[in-house]
Amino acid sequence: MLSCISWVHDLIVAEHDRIDDPIWWSLQEWCLWYLLTPITFALLDKLQQLNLVNRKGYFTTLLPMYCTAMVYQAIFDVFVYQDPILGTLVYFAPSHLLILYISTLLWHKLWKTPEKVSSHPAMLLVDQGKHKTLLPMHDIVSLSAASNYVEIHSPSNTYIKRATLKDLMQKLPPNLYIQCHRSHIINLSCIKHIERKPSGSGLIHLNNGHVVPLSKRYYSDVRSLCAG
């Protein structure tokens, strides 16, 4: 692109104002970035894996790339063009900084792995007497529908929340909670044992001492997940 810009410039200006750079000039001047760009992308990928995509992470990752580019440029200009180091640093410092910025922007827009946003909150706001409290989702042992609210049972307490069982089911992690009755949801990891009735329904004994009905409709689903 830089060679094309130089070539177009030489076409439209007077002869004494032409740059007259060879077509391979940009490759000679900027070839280092053919190597540094994939390295920069790899380092930024590692940064994302370590969950360190922040100002400090960017600084510690990109500064070595910038310094490497400037050192290469200074050495190249000294031995090839016999240019003074100070002049090289002043001339190329903004250019390499711009290239590094563009590389980082391209990584963000085209290469960065999209972050997975969980649709299931880690905490649930519930009522405890006159107060509201945040209950960790993994502390919920079972939920029971009661009129226009839901009773939420933890290992040691019972809370209430004005909502429907269906609404709360959508907020719970599906691999951990399952509906066992039209009025009950249970935490699979809290099942102590299942008692089968001759009618095909059953009772689920939980590790907090509660016993929850298991309807015939949901029996096979609960059993298959417990077996898995």
Side-chain angles (χ1 to χ4, degrees):
M1 182 181 290
L2 292 172
S3 292
C4 289
I5 293 173
S6 175
W7 180 71
V8 171
H9 174 272
D10 288 352
L11 282 179
I12 61 177
V13 300
E15 185 175 354
H16 63 274
D17 291 326
R18 292 176 182 174
I19 300 174
D20 287 328
D21 282 325
I23 194 67
W24 44 266
W25 169 81
S26 62
L27 179 63
Q28 172 183 287
E29 291 289 330
W30 305 102
C31 64
L32 180 66
W33 284 104
Y34 285 100
L35 176 63
L36 288 185
T37 298
I39 293 176
T40 301
F41 276 34
L43 290 175
L44 290 173
D45 285 342
K46 187 66 176 179
L47 205 65
Q48 185 180 17
Q49 292 172 14
L50 296 174
N51 197 26
L52 295 174
V53 182
N54 50 44
R55 288 184 180 180
K56 183 179 180 181
Y58 281 133
F59 182 79
T60 55
T61 300
L62 301 178
L63 182 62
M65 295 294 100
Y66 181 70
C67 292
T68 300
M70 290 305 301
V71 169
Y72 161 83
Q73 192 71 60
I75 294 174
F76 181 87
D77 284 6
V78 165
F79 286 96
V80 176
Y81 296 122
Q82 288 77 48
D83 288 341
I85 292 179
L86 182 60
T88 295
L89 294 178
V90 171
Y91 183 80
F92 282 100
S95 302
H96 284 298
L97 191 61
L98 179 60
I99 292 175
L100 195 57
Y101 173 77
I102 293 173
S103 298
T104 305
L105 190 63
L106 288 174
W107 176 81
H108 260 282
K109 298 295 183 182
L110 304 176
W111 192 267
K112 182 182 179 183
T113 303
E115 296 180 358
K116 296 180 179 179
V117 180
S118 175
S119 59
H120 305 290
M123 310 285 283
L124 186 66
L125 186 65
V126 296
D127 295 324
Q128 187 178 27
K130 296 181 179 180
H131 305 286
K132 292 187 179 293
T133 185
L134 285 171
L135 178 66
M137 286 292 192
H138 58 79
D139 282 352
I140 298 175
V141 176
S142 64
L143 303 92
S144 303
S147 185
N148 61 342
Y149 62 93
V150 175
E151 290 181 351
I152 301 168
H153 306 282
S154 73
S156 57
N157 291 298
T158 297
Y159 308 89
I160 64 171
K161 184 172 180 66
R162 291 194 176 277
T164 65
L165 208 61
K166 182 180 179 180
D167 290 339
L168 292 181
M169 187 63 186
Q170 294 175 352
K171 297 180 180 180
L172 296 169
N175 60 333
L176 190 58
Y177 292 88
I178 187 171
Q179 189 161 0
C180 63
H181 185 275
R182 65 179 182 179
S183 300
H184 299 277
I185 295 171
I186 58 166
N187 185 331
L188 289 167
S189 66
C190 296
I191 295 176
K192 193 173 182 180
H193 68 271
I194 298 175
E195 179 184 344
R196 182 76 183 269
K197 291 182 178 182
S199 62
S201 60
L203 296 173
I204 299 176
H205 295 259
L206 301 172
N207 57 15
N208 66 345
H210 290 188
V211 179
V212 178
L214 172 58
S215 66
K216 186 177 180 179
R217 174 185 175 186
Y218 296 103
Y219 187 88
S220 59
D221 293 338
V222 173
R223 288 294 299 180
S224 63
L225 287 173
C226 288

